[in-house]
Amino acid sequence: MGPYQEPDMEPLCGVLTAIVTPFGPDRGIDEAALRNLVDRQVEAGVHGIVAGSITGEAAALSPAEHERVVKLVVDQAAGRLHVMAGTVANNTRLAIELSYRCEDAGAGSLLQIPPSYIKPTQDGLIRHYEQVLTATRLPMVLYNVPQRTGSIIQPRTVLRLAEHPRVVGIKQGVSDLEQLNQILAARPASLAVLSGEDTLTLAMVAMGADGVISVAANEVPQAIVRLVAAALEGDRQLAIRLQRRLAPLM
């Protein structure tokens, strides 16, 4: 690799879609369908795509397939929106390997979950993230999703990790809004806070969050973009109407 340059990355906000990975009858990646999904997201006005994360069937992908998915999304997006790559791994070495692959594939940032099932201590989480940050070069977004991983990133740990210049955000998939409030109250300006639960997006944005990494946007991207835009702009009545209309789908 050539000499490192700090990535030129705008602050994360609005809607980023946690895009699914379509498969064909041969159980391989349906590349044409994936490209079409990317175009649909771009046309709907989303601000970014997250490829190869939990919603992107990461557990069903080999490392080579994971890299291929990210490369396809980056290629099809063609600079029209931000591409974040999920690096779902339950050990630090694999997280680093996947991060290398995603960087080589052209991702603009990494979405990193805690090691699943292992339930590390908070100090263990810090060491895990610090090792990945030391080994890689891309900006990182933390993913707090205890219902999937079995461990939670406590607010004090989030704020400790946010001191690193390349920790640029957190996807907060935790229903405890008091934890969200603690992060929002003390976060540095450089840390974006994004909802990780579609059903809580309006509440989180009302509290000060910057947007959502959305699953529902796979199906109704324009509606999610309108919802988040209304919430960020303070149009409470429109945001409530959209949230209630979309609640059954969410």
Side-chain angles (χ1 to χ4, degrees):
M1 292 184 291
Y4 176 61
Q5 294 181 341
E6 282 293 331
D8 183 13
M9 181 176 170
E10 295 182 359
L12 295 168
C13 65
V15 177
L16 291 88
T17 302
I19 201 167
V20 299
T21 300
F23 296 95
D26 63 351
R27 301 184 183 180
I29 301 163
D30 187 335
E31 297 192 0
L34 181 56
R35 289 182 181 277
N36 287 337
L37 289 174
V38 172
D39 284 341
R40 184 166 182 261
Q41 296 298 318
V42 172
E43 291 162 6
V46 304
H47 300 87
I49 288 176
V50 182
S53 190
I54 292 173
T55 305
E57 287 79 34
L61 299 173
S62 70
E65 288 175 322
H66 195 122
E67 182 178 357
R68 180 63 179 162
V69 165
V70 175
K71 187 173 180 58
L72 284 166
V73 172
V74 169
D75 181 66
Q76 194 65 25
R80 294 177 289 174
L81 42 64
H82 182 79
V83 178
M84 185 184 301
T87 50
V88 179
N90 67 344
N91 70 76
T92 305
R93 287 184 179 180
L94 180 56
I96 290 171
E97 178 191 345
L98 289 174
S99 298
Y100 284 153
R101 287 177 174 271
C102 292
E103 183 176 349
D104 288 344
S109 63
L110 302 171
L111 180 66
Q112 239 343 295
I113 69 166
S116 60
Y117 184 78
I118 296 170
K119 298 183 179 181
T121 64
Q122 295 301 297
D123 284 344
L125 284 173
I126 289 170
R127 293 181 185 182
H128 167 77
Y129 278 114
E130 286 180 342
Q131 287 188 43
V132 178
L133 284 161
T134 298
T136 60
R137 306 191 296 185
L138 290 177
M140 180 186 291
V141 175
L142 312 175
Y143 187 2
N144 207 359
V145 59
Q147 64 270 31
R148 299 278 189 174
T149 63
S151 61
I152 191 166
I153 313 174
Q154 296 289 350
R156 66 180 184 277
T157 304
V158 173
L159 297 170
R160 164 82 176 275
L161 290 167
E163 295 172 4
H164 193 287
R166 280 190 288 110
V167 173
V168 297
I170 180 167
K171 178 182 179 182
Q172 184 73 351
V174 180
S175 58
D176 184 349
L177 295 181
E178 175 54 32
Q179 291 204 6
L180 173 71
N181 190 53
Q182 291 177 39
I183 295 169
L184 290 170
R187 65 168 167 166
S190 57
L191 187 77
V193 177
L194 303 167
S195 169
E197 291 285 349
D198 280 296
T199 54
L200 292 175
T201 297
L202 178 54
M204 288 189 176
V205 172
M207 292 175 66
D210 302 293
V212 62
I213 294 180
S214 172
V215 174
N218 279 282
E219 182 69 18
V220 286
Q222 289 178 320
I224 302 296
V225 168
R226 288 186 65 207
L227 166 62
V228 173
L232 289 171
E233 293 165 7
D235 190 340
R236 181 171 177 269
Q237 293 305 317
L238 175 59
I240 290 172
R241 287 200 304 271
L242 289 168
Q243 179 81 16
R244 288 176 177 168
R245 193 180 82 189
L246 293 168
L249 173 64
M250 293 174 175

